[in-house]
Amino acid sequence: MKSILSENFLWGGAVASNQLEGAYIEDGKGLSAVDILPVGEYRTQYFCNPPSLEFNDEFFYPSHVAIYFYHRYKEDIALLAEMGFKCFRLSIAWSRIFPNGDDATPNEAGLKFYDDVFDECKKYGIEPLVTIQHFDVPLELCKKYGGWRDRKLIKFYENYCKTIFNRYKDKVKYWLTFNEINIILHAPFVGGGLTIKEDENDLEIKYQAAHNQLVASSLAVKACHEIIPDAKIGCMLAAGTTYPYSCNPADVMAALEKDRESYFFSDVQARGYYPSYAKKFFEENNIKLEMGEDDIEILKKYTVDFVSFSYYSSRCTTTDEKMLQNLSQTNIFHSIENPYLEKSEWGWAIDPIGLRVTLNQIYDRYQKPLFIVENGLGANDTLENGEINDDYRIKYLRDHIEQMIKAVNDGVELMGYTTWGPIDLVSAGSGEMKKRYGFIYVDRDNYGNGTLERYRKKSFYWYKKVIESNGTEL
Ligand code: BGP
């Protein structure tokens, strides 16, 4: 059977430096904001707005060793290659390159590490897709400048971008500016290195930081096109369409407004200007943005080449106050329960058709190529006699890939699909190891016990076949 997907469709998987590398202060790396996030009951508080930026002896910090990819990347990339990966999405840790974020010169050992990683990918014909900032603002920038609330970060980020574009221009042709840029509204610390005091106008701070990131993102597009003319650079959104709970027009309007909270970001990055609804929102919430003279021009001139997003679930909303009391959470987004959907062990609603809806909506909105750069099921696997039978993961992915193919059939232009966490890694939201997404099992528990040995799961062989057949054998 012939696949509807193009011959060079980018099948693969996606990871983030802080969730797998470990080696958190090795070879000159500075601390990242995420390095102070503990596993356990305080995780969410630290994720969103930490009470302190210092270590606490009572906490266990999973990013410090993670799965030790820093020392095992050769073995890990060989396993991805065995599955036939065409593409590997990974992020560069800003603080490996500039330990304090604002240093005058980069750390050569950090630059060298990613050279080696990209060379290893190339050896197998795997295309790297690199996220420039994935939840890891250098901690010093949080302490010294209050994170992205300060415009100075635009310059530091631009300098970081130019450094990595120049260094990797022959090795990396696909880039993403900020992971899940809209997450800053929901988890301001991981999204923007922000800590917000109770008496501050938190919306104003978040949108100011968002504005600074949007300008920085445009400057990254500019620099990327100048330094690597044959590269493509995209934005990245935590997506998932919002359904109205009922056909009551008030619910429909509420759902539209919820979606605008996220599309606000990609509207600017893909179209080049603030949407009209943002102006009204800013007025109503007393948000006054500090803008540089050229900001509007920069946003307009340097829009992204493609729009990428993560998709784990759809969301649902209502105007019924009583129902709004009872919210559940998926990937930090609050939603009322959708009675038509089942949930994962971590309570995230499972909605493959929602992926087709989301793809169509975003494509209708921008008419730019799309890229699904995260999708997957976090589950607690069991290793028995060296085997992991993760049929539930195969089912989740199969159902989503089916809907993805339908969306391509609907006319959506899609560059690729990278599942989240092809090798087990630390969960961003909970800090746990036992919330696993991988095709490859890593022997390590929530508190650092285990051999770190790697094992192929049942899904490993399944995904290999999917890639081999370009999506025709699911
Ligand atoms: C996204 C992040 C990832 C990743 C994923 C799964 O928000 O971009 O870093 O971790 O969600 O979430 P979790 O790890 O909380 O299960």
Side-chain angles (χ1 to χ4, degrees), residues 15-16 18-19 47 89 134-135 179-180 183 236 238 310 312 331-333 346 348 374 378 420-421 425-432 435 437:
V15 300
N18 71 87
Q19 292 172 257
F47 202 74
R89 175 181 173 227
H134 192 131
F135 297 167
N179 179 62
E180 295 188 334
I183 211 96
M236 196 308 199
S310 62
Y312 293 91
N331 195 8
I332 210 88
F333 293 88
W346 269 263
W348 293 19
E374 283 184 34
W420 176 250
L425 38 61
V426 175
S427 154
S430 75
E432 294 164 292
K435 189 178 185 194
Y437 286 86

Side-chain angles (χ1 to χ4, degrees), residues 149-300:
R149 67 164 79 199
D150 192 323
R151 275 189 74 82
K152 289 197 196 73
L153 265 78
I154 300 176
K155 268 269 149 252
F156 303 143
Y157 176 89
E158 194 188 5
N159 185 38
Y160 161 50
C161 287
K162 287 182 174 166
T163 305
I164 56 178
F165 293 156
N166 275 310
R167 177 77 172 216
Y168 307 123
K169 58 175 182 274
D170 298 325
K171 300 181 182 177
V172 181
K173 303 294 177 186
Y174 295 93
W175 298 87
L176 300 175
T177 57
F178 288 87
N179 179 62
E180 295 188 334
I181 189 164
N182 52 323
I183 211 96
I184 198 168
L185 299 180
H186 311 275
F189 184 63
V190 289
L194 306 174
T195 41
I196 301 176
K197 298 198 189 70
E198 246 173 53
D199 58 349
E200 291 186 302
N201 177 352
D202 80 316
L203 273 181
E204 184 169 65
I205 291 165
K206 289 192 276 194
Y207 277 97
Q208 181 63 58
H211 172 76
N212 295 342
Q213 290 192 341
L214 290 167
V215 174
S217 172
S218 294
L219 289 169
V221 172
K222 174 175 189 279
C224 183
H225 287 161
E226 282 167 6
I227 299 169
I228 329 176
D230 58 339
K232 291 202 184 312
I233 181 161
C235 58
M236 196 308 199
L237 203 65
T241 190
T242 308
Y243 301 133
Y245 185 75
S246 75
C247 51
N248 176 345
D251 280 3
V252 177
M253 192 62 212
L256 185 142
E257 285 184 336
K258 264 270 157 262
D259 273 347
R260 279 177 168 173
E261 270 177 33
S262 295
Y263 290 141
F264 161 80
F265 293 84
S266 42
D267 280 356
V268 179
Q269 290 173 297
R271 293 170 169 160
Y273 53 89
Y274 275 100
S276 41
Y277 61 80
K279 289 175 193 142
K280 181 179 143 228
F281 180 81
F282 290 162
E283 268 163 33
E284 284 173 0
N285 291 284
N286 201 17
I287 297 171
K288 291 188 195 66
L289 297 186
E290 182 201 331
M291 291 215 193
E293 233 177 90
D294 305 327
D295 286 6
I296 296 292
E297 190 62 18
I298 291 169
L299 294 176
K300 193 162 164 218

Side-chain angles (χ1 to χ4, degrees), residues 38 68 76-78 81 108 124 136 147 199 210 213 240 244 264 292 307 315 317 321 379 405 412 445:
Y68 237 0
D76 292 342
I77 294 171
E108 177 54 33
Y124 298 105
D136 59 357
D199 58 349
Q213 290 192 341
F264 161 80
V307 175
R315 301 152 198 165
T317 196
E321 288 298 331
I405 291 173
V412 169
D445 72 9

Side-chain angles (χ1 to χ4, degrees), residues 18-19 34 37-48 60 62-63 426-432:
N18 71 87
Q19 292 172 257
V34 270
L37 303 186
V39 66
E41 58 175 316
Y42 297 104
R43 179 85 176 183
T44 310
Q45 187 192 6
Y46 274 77
F47 202 74
C48 296
F60 177 75
S63 74
V426 175
S427 154
S430 75
E432 294 164 292

